[in-house]
Amino acid sequence: MNNHVTVLEIDSNGLLHNLNYFKQKLQPTTKFLAVVKAFGYGSEAVEVAKIVQEKVDYFAVAYTDEGIALREAGIKTPILVLHPQIPNIPLLVQHGLEPNLYSFKIFDAFLKYADEAPLMNYPVHIKFNTGLNRLGFWHTDVPTIIAELKQSNNVKVQSIFSHLAASEDLSEQEFTVNQINNFAYTVKQMYEHLGYEPMIHILNTSGVVNYTKAQFDMVRVGVGLYGFGNSEQETAQLKNTHTLKSIISQIHIIQPGETVGYNRAFVASKETKSATIPIGHADGISRRLGKKNGFVFINNQPAPIIGNVCMDMIMVDVTKIDCKEGDEVIVFNHQQHIEYMAHKCETIPYEILTGLSQRIKRLVKR
Ligand SMILES: *Cc1c(COP(=O)(O)O)cnc(C)c1O
């Protein structure tokens, strides 16, 4: 027994189920990149990587530090760093991480570093912007990229990729198909002049679901691994991977007219039994879930959060629930509950998951 009562359980079987679910949608030869950025979408990146490493071809993280954490834990799989920064280049190379080169600024800086080191055929990835307008070269940059690459045998383009802006939104189908076609055209130009054919990839989770034909050589699945398909139908096929549990610290019986929590936000209209749970907004439970907007489960019954969410605690109404101090509290253990929380917070499950703070102990369930 560990000394933390608030724990986030990561379900390894759920992860593997979800991985297989997406793999089954793909050609057997299509490579699979598992996105484990942001601590594995709020879970535990190293543990997730260890669970799936035998079954994936690549990992991706956003930042160099995240990749270093995986390497230091002994992960040997190739790791694409999606958003490296120039000052990180030496560390990135030292840990055998593969940079996304998305602008001339970082492309030139990397080539310069690779020339001076010197590196030989160091794997790099070139990203093209096809409409997200976030990171990536323009199509018109192809000739300059090619010219620079031709002068260097310090790097080797491992892949060429892009990212869809609205793959989950079928009302944006025309835009998305356009992105895919423009990407394919850019790749064709790159292939013609490069003299070799790097892997190409554009699909994220919803891309795999909605535009399976554009799987090219590899897909990059993030949120799907963690149980969310960005549609009710898809999510129903996936298993929950994040279960957040706590316990009841204390129970108070309060009388009509008495209040609970800061700013006296809950006022009892009748005798009320309130339970205090050691998890709060500093753990990622949004203050928007107070005032009965959110609920937890205690002994299989929903208990609404009453009053304001505190930094380290919430109080829930357990008047009708048979429970005692020390009983288990399920903050969530199902995707629908996480989606409900997201809805109440005017956000998406991605933010609920990645917002779970590092203060919460992670525990892998095998
Ligand atoms: C985060 C990210 C992904 C994963 O997206 P999901 O919707 O979680 O599958 C894929 N590619 C890039 C470039 C990303 O930044």
Short mmCIF file of all heavy atoms in Angstrom, two decimals, residues 107 111 115 143-155 194:
data_model
loop_
_atom_site.label_atom_id
_atom_site.label_comp_id
_atom_site.label_asym_id
_atom_site.label_seq_id
_atom_site.Cartn_x
_atom_site.Cartn_y
_atom_site.Cartn_z
N PHE A 107 15.78 24.11 -39.18
CA PHE A 107 16.40 23.26 -40.21
C PHE A 107 17.87 23.66 -40.38
O PHE A 107 18.78 22.83 -40.31
CB PHE A 107 15.60 23.44 -41.50
CG PHE A 107 16.06 22.61 -42.67
CD1 PHE A 107 15.78 21.27 -42.76
CD2 PHE A 107 16.74 23.22 -43.73
CE1 PHE A 107 16.17 20.52 -43.86
CE2 PHE A 107 17.13 22.49 -44.84
CZ PHE A 107 16.85 21.12 -44.91
N LEU A 111 21.20 21.55 -39.43
CA LEU A 111 22.21 21.20 -40.44
C LEU A 111 23.60 21.71 -40.02
O LEU A 111 24.61 21.02 -40.20
CB LEU A 111 21.84 21.75 -41.80
CG LEU A 111 20.69 21.05 -42.54
CD1 LEU A 111 20.55 21.58 -43.96
CD2 LEU A 111 20.87 19.54 -42.58
N ASP A 115 26.73 19.34 -39.24
CA ASP A 115 27.96 19.52 -40.01
C ASP A 115 29.15 19.64 -39.07
O ASP A 115 30.22 19.06 -39.30
CB ASP A 115 27.83 20.76 -40.89
CG ASP A 115 29.09 21.01 -41.70
OD1 ASP A 115 29.59 20.03 -42.29
OD2 ASP A 115 29.56 22.17 -41.74
N PRO A 143 12.03 23.50 -53.06
CA PRO A 143 13.33 23.60 -53.76
C PRO A 143 14.48 23.99 -52.83
O PRO A 143 15.58 23.42 -52.95
CB PRO A 143 13.08 24.70 -54.79
CG PRO A 143 11.61 24.74 -54.99
CD PRO A 143 11.00 24.35 -53.68
N THR A 144 14.25 24.89 -51.92
CA THR A 144 15.31 25.31 -50.99
C THR A 144 15.69 24.16 -50.04
O THR A 144 16.87 23.94 -49.77
CB THR A 144 14.87 26.55 -50.18
OG1 THR A 144 14.22 27.45 -51.06
CG2 THR A 144 16.04 27.21 -49.51
N ILE A 145 14.67 23.46 -49.55
CA ILE A 145 14.93 22.32 -48.65
C ILE A 145 15.80 21.30 -49.38
O ILE A 145 16.82 20.83 -48.85
CB ILE A 145 13.61 21.65 -48.20
CG1 ILE A 145 12.78 22.62 -47.36
CG2 ILE A 145 13.89 20.37 -47.41
CD1 ILE A 145 11.36 22.12 -47.06
N ILE A 146 15.38 20.99 -50.60
CA ILE A 146 16.11 19.99 -51.39
C ILE A 146 17.56 20.45 -51.62
O ILE A 146 18.51 19.68 -51.42
CB ILE A 146 15.42 19.75 -52.75
CG1 ILE A 146 14.04 19.12 -52.55
CG2 ILE A 146 16.28 18.92 -53.70
CD1 ILE A 146 14.05 17.66 -52.15
N ALA A 147 17.71 21.71 -52.01
CA ALA A 147 19.05 22.22 -52.29
C ALA A 147 19.95 22.08 -51.06
O ALA A 147 21.11 21.67 -51.17
CB ALA A 147 18.96 23.67 -52.74
N GLU A 148 19.41 22.40 -49.90
CA GLU A 148 20.22 22.32 -48.68
C GLU A 148 20.52 20.86 -48.33
O GLU A 148 21.64 20.54 -47.90
CB GLU A 148 19.50 23.02 -47.51
CG GLU A 148 19.43 24.53 -47.73
CD GLU A 148 19.18 25.30 -46.45
OE1 GLU A 148 19.60 24.85 -45.37
OE2 GLU A 148 18.52 26.36 -46.54
N LEU A 149 19.52 20.00 -48.50
CA LEU A 149 19.73 18.58 -48.16
C LEU A 149 20.79 17.95 -49.07
O LEU A 149 21.58 17.12 -48.64
CB LEU A 149 18.42 17.80 -48.27
CG LEU A 149 17.42 18.00 -47.13
CD1 LEU A 149 16.10 17.30 -47.46
CD2 LEU A 149 17.97 17.48 -45.80
N LYS A 150 20.77 18.37 -50.33
CA LYS A 150 21.70 17.78 -51.30
C LYS A 150 23.15 18.09 -50.97
O LYS A 150 24.06 17.38 -51.40
CB LYS A 150 21.36 18.26 -52.71
CG LYS A 150 20.06 17.65 -53.21
CD LYS A 150 20.23 17.07 -54.59
CE LYS A 150 19.27 15.90 -54.79
NZ LYS A 150 18.82 15.72 -56.14
N GLN A 151 23.34 19.18 -50.24
CA GLN A 151 24.71 19.57 -49.89
C GLN A 151 25.22 18.87 -48.64
O GLN A 151 26.31 19.15 -48.17
CB GLN A 151 24.76 21.07 -49.64
CG GLN A 151 24.68 21.87 -50.91
CD GLN A 151 24.63 23.35 -50.61
OE1 GLN A 151 24.95 23.79 -49.51
NE2 GLN A 151 24.23 24.12 -51.60
N SER A 152 24.38 18.03 -48.06
CA SER A 152 24.74 17.48 -46.75
C SER A 152 24.50 15.97 -46.70
O SER A 152 23.45 15.50 -47.11
CB SER A 152 23.89 18.16 -45.68
OG SER A 152 23.89 17.42 -44.49
N ASN A 153 25.50 15.23 -46.22
CA ASN A 153 25.20 13.83 -45.90
C ASN A 153 25.20 13.64 -44.39
O ASN A 153 25.33 12.55 -43.87
CB ASN A 153 26.15 12.86 -46.60
CG ASN A 153 27.59 13.16 -46.25
OD1 ASN A 153 27.87 14.04 -45.42
ND2 ASN A 153 28.53 12.44 -46.86
N ASN A 154 25.06 14.75 -43.69
CA ASN A 154 25.01 14.71 -42.23
C ASN A 154 23.65 14.25 -41.72
O ASN A 154 23.55 13.69 -40.64
CB ASN A 154 25.32 16.09 -41.64
CG ASN A 154 26.68 16.59 -42.10
OD1 ASN A 154 26.77 17.63 -42.73
ND2 ASN A 154 27.72 15.83 -41.80
N VAL A 155 22.62 14.53 -42.51
CA VAL A 155 21.28 14.11 -42.09
C VAL A 155 20.62 13.28 -43.18
O VAL A 155 20.98 13.37 -44.36
CB VAL A 155 20.35 15.32 -41.77
CG1 VAL A 155 20.95 16.19 -40.68
CG2 VAL A 155 20.02 16.12 -43.01
N LEU A 194 14.72 14.34 -54.20
CA LEU A 194 15.54 13.91 -53.07
C LEU A 194 16.44 12.74 -53.42
O LEU A 194 17.54 12.60 -52.89
CB LEU A 194 14.61 13.55 -51.89
CG LEU A 194 15.22 13.50 -50.51
CD1 LEU A 194 15.84 14.84 -50.13
CD2 LEU A 194 14.14 13.13 -49.48
#
